[in-house]
Amino acid sequence: MKKSLSLLAYAIIVFVTISSCSKKKDDPAPSNSNTNTNNSTSKYYFKGTFGGAAYNQASAASTTAYNNGIGASSVGNYVDYANSDAYVYEFYEGSFWTKFSYQNNQFTEIDGLVIEVHKSFSYIGEDYPSEQDIKNIYAAGTYTNFSTAANSGSYPTTQGWDIELTDDNGKVWSSYKGTADQTGSYIKIDSQKDVYETGARFLSAKGSVSCKLYDDSGNVKVLEGTFNQLFSDYSVD
């Protein structure tokens, strides 16, 4: 699930305006320690445990590039050759936390967490997934449709939810590595609503998650907790 996000540009631009960015699967880089812990006024957060240790992410009262919880957008389209009038849209959308540190005259990613969905849409004509389509993806309910690694094609995972987290040692853990067994795992959306941040309109969602994350060697740890995060900015392109 490698995202083609331009995080450096995003980190700079988001202080002025929040724009959609391309998806890149190896963008996340989280920490097991509390970050941006001035969270008594946090709008957006993830609070829980990873591998039994406390794992929290929290944004400031206003959205910034630091632990922002803002969704990164991407839609790729191609012709459905079975129907020359139809287009298939591969939708990657979710919430990510990324913290940057300015070191040696450049921004360095410090930590992050990604919770996202891969879903395919087919349309006659060239319309992108509608706002209602996006809201339907994050409708209240309990989801167990986690993605797995794809065998071929442009997208490295099958359709469904996936989660990525990078620990303090730089090791990436994800829901689709290893055996990708998610028996008993779930993502639950309790509620959703439109919110405005720095002039842009987002879809936010509150809920909870419990899932298994695997490293490249097949080791497994459980991530679980509650969240209030921004999942889409409606400007998918």
Side-chain angles (χ1 to χ4, degrees), residues 25-150:
K25 279 296 220 179
D26 43 12
D27 280 346
S31 163
N32 282 343
S33 59
N34 292 343
T35 55
N36 243 2
T37 51
N38 295 325
N39 55 14
S40 60
T41 57
S42 293
K43 293 181 181 179
Y44 310 112
Y45 58 82
F46 181 95
K47 298 177 181 179
T49 60
F50 176 54
Y55 182 84
N56 301 314
Q57 297 283 2
S59 71
S62 60
T63 304
T64 72
Y66 295 86
N67 297 94
N68 47 60
I70 293 172
S73 309
S74 178
V75 168
N77 64 293
Y78 55 90
V79 175
D80 180 354
Y81 291 103
N83 181 348
S84 60
D85 294 324
Y87 285 80
V88 175
Y89 293 88
E90 296 290 349
F91 174 88
Y92 268 108
E93 181 77 353
S95 181
F96 72 88
W97 302 91
T98 303
K99 185 174 180 180
F100 294 88
S101 174
Y102 192 71
Q103 300 172 348
N104 300 321
N105 298 318
Q106 63 181 6
F107 282 101
T108 301
E109 298 170 40
I110 293 180
D111 62 7
L113 171 66
V114 172
I115 302 176
E116 64 190 354
V117 170
H118 175 198
K119 185 173 178 61
S120 181
F121 294 88
S122 182
Y123 291 99
I124 301 298
E126 299 186 41
D127 293 329
Y128 285 138
S130 68
E131 291 185 4
Q132 189 58 53
D133 288 331
I134 294 172
K135 288 183 176 181
N136 290 344
I137 292 174
Y138 303 105
T142 301
Y143 299 89
T144 58
N145 57 322
F146 287 85
S147 64
T148 59

Side-chain angles (χ1 to χ4, degrees), residues 8 135 141 157 174 199 231:
L8 175 57
K135 288 183 176 181
T157 62
S174 72
F231 282 93

